[in-house]
Amino acid sequence: MNIETINNRIRPQKELLLQHPLYKKVKTIEDLQCFLESHVYAVWDFMSLLKALQSKLTCTTTPWFATENPETRYLINEIVLAEESDLTIDGRRQSHYEMYIEAMKDCGANTAGIEQFLSEVNSLKNIFVAIKKSNLHPNIKAFLDFTFRVIEEGKSHEIAAAFTFGREDLIPSMFTAILKNFQANFPQKNLSKLIYYFERHIELDADDHGPMAMKMITELCGTDAQKWSDVEEISILALEKRIGLWDAIEENIMMNVELA
C-alpha cells in the first residue's frame, strides 16, 4: 500500500466533504459568524494534533537525544514553525489559531464560546471531561473526542494519518470552496483578516505542508502493511468526523435562520 492507494480508498469521504451543502448555506454575515463560532474548535484542536506529532517525532524534553528519523524530525518542525508562529497580514507573529480568533472578532463573530471552553479545559485538566460537560453540538463533541483519542491512544503513524488526510491534504480544496463563497456573498464586508487566513492556509498546505505531511506518512509507514492499514482506517474515520462537523455547523446555521 502507498499514498496513492490511501487517496483512492478515502475518495468517497473527500467527495462528500467537498460537495457538502454547508458551503451554500453561508449566505449572510450572521451565517458566516455562526460558521466561524463552530469551526474554531477544529482550528484549535488541529494545533494539538500538530504538537502531539512534534512530541512523538522530535525530542521536546531534556536531556536532549536525537530522535530516530531526521527526515520526519525536519518535516514536523517545519510545519510547526509556520502553524505556531506565522506572519499575520500586518507583519506580526501569531499562531494560525490566534489569527483565526482575530479574524472572528474583526467580522463580529462571538469568541466567548471557545474562550469559555478553553478555560474549562484548563481548569478541569481533562480534555475528555471538558468535552463531555460542554454545551457543544454532539457532532462537534464527537469531532473533538476523536482528535484527542487519537492523540492519547494513537501511534505516530496514526496521529500523522488524522493530521494529513483529515486536515492538511483536505484544506486547500475545502478552503477554496469556502473562500469563493465568502467573496461572492460578502464583497462589501471587511473580511481581510479572514480571507488572509484562508488564503495563507491554501498556499501553505497546497505548496508545502500537504506534500511534507504525505512524505511524513511514507517515512513512518515504510513497507509495513499493518501501518498502512491503520493509516487508511484512521483517515476514513477522521473524514467521517469532519463530515459530522460540517453537518453540525449546517444545523446551527439553519437553527439561527429559523430563530431570526
Side-chain angles (χ1 to χ4, degrees), residues 31-49:
D31 297 339
L32 174 58
Q33 290 163 352
C34 184
F35 171 88
L36 298 174
E37 287 161 16
S38 298
H39 179 244
V40 67
Y41 294 91
V43 177
W44 171 73
D45 82 335
F46 169 83
M47 298 302 296
S48 291
L49 273 175

Side-chain angles (χ1 to χ4, degrees), residues 54-67:
Q54 188 182 34
S55 178
K56 293 262 187 190
L57 301 178
T58 76
C59 182
T60 57
T61 56
T62 56
W64 178 88
F65 294 95
T67 48

Side-chain angles (χ1 to χ4, degrees), residues 54 57-58 67 69-81 208 212 215-216:
Q54 188 182 34
L57 301 178
T58 76
T67 48
N69 189 325
E71 190 66 28
T72 56
R73 191 194 312 160
Y74 163 75
L75 292 168
I76 197 62
N77 279 335
E78 276 291 300
I79 296 171
V80 168
L81 179 64
D208 298 320
M212 282 180 172
K215 191 171 182 182
M216 181 167 58

Side-chain angles (χ1 to χ4, degrees), residues 125-165:
K125 308 299 181 191
N126 186 314
I127 182 62
F128 300 106
V129 173
I131 293 167
K132 190 173 181 179
K133 282 185 65 177
S134 74
N135 294 321
L136 294 169
H137 187 289
N139 286 10
I140 301 178
K141 288 186 178 187
F143 181 87
L144 291 168
D145 189 79
F146 171 77
T147 296
F148 287 97
R149 295 284 171 201
V150 170
I151 288 170
E152 185 170 274
E153 301 166 10
K155 302 178 181 71
S156 297
H157 65 282
E158 293 172 326
I159 300 171
F163 177 84
T164 301
F165 293 103

Side-chain angles (χ1 to χ4, degrees), residues 158-203:
E158 293 172 326
I159 300 171
F163 177 84
T164 301
F165 293 103
R167 306 297 180 100
E168 292 293 78
D169 179 51
L170 191 67
I171 282 171
S173 301
M174 192 171 65
F175 279 9
T176 298
I178 293 171
L179 191 57
K180 282 180 181 175
N181 191 46
F182 287 174
Q183 290 171 324
N185 287 335
F186 316 115
Q188 77 285 6
K189 296 291 181 182
N190 179 21
L191 303 177
S192 56
K193 286 184 180 177
L194 187 63
I195 289 171
Y196 176 82
Y197 169 86
F198 281 112
E199 287 181 337
R200 186 70 179 132
H201 256 286
I202 291 166
E203 176 191 356

